[in-house]
Amino acid sequence: SGDVVCLRAHNGRYLSVGAESVEASNAAGPASRFVVHLEHGAALAHRGVVYLESRSAGALLDADDAEDGLFARYADRGDWQRFAVEKLPRGCALPTPKNRPASRA
């Protein structure tokens, strides 16, 4: 808990907090830094719950089932702010900018 991370998607873009919502950016900057808060324990485990606090907005990331998208709006740690982290099955690899499938036009 308390570590600062940047989250990079399979396409090489970083999650960043914008003025209205969370968006993807080409470079990791101050808006793409998040403090990890663990719900339980001192180490992150498979299916562990984390809360991601935006360093730039001072609020936790949240997903609202009534609104489409991710946001950084509130400081509370409720169901909307909970993210479960899952470990990839053995033999699986996430696509990276170097090995992702070519986009189709």
Side-chain angles (χ1 to χ4, degrees), residues 87-102:
K87 182 177 164 182
L88 282 176
R90 286 199 172 128
C92 289
L94 282 177
T96 64
K98 293 179 183 176
N99 70 1
R100 71 176 182 253

Side-chain angles (χ1 to χ4, degrees), residues 1-84:
S1 237
D3 288 337
V4 177
V5 299
C6 292
L7 302 173
R8 190 178 78 180
H10 66 90
N11 61 4
R13 301 186 91 192
Y14 294 87
L15 285 183
S16 297
V17 175
E20 301 271 327
S21 64
V22 176
E23 50 199 40
S25 62
N26 289 325
S32 59
R33 292 187 179 101
F34 300 93
V35 179
V36 176
H37 299 282
L38 301 177
E39 184 173 63
H40 300 291
L44 184 57
H46 177 57
R47 295 190 179 151
V49 172
V50 298
Y51 298 93
L52 299 168
E53 178 186 355
S54 166
R55 294 278 310 257
S56 62
L60 298 173
L61 287 189
D62 69 86
D64 183 346
D65 62 353
E67 296 182 48
D68 192 21
L70 289 176
F71 307 91
R73 304 178 287 190
Y74 309 111
D76 59 316
R77 295 182 185 186
D79 288 341
W80 291 1
Q81 290 84 14
R82 297 177 79 213
F83 289 89

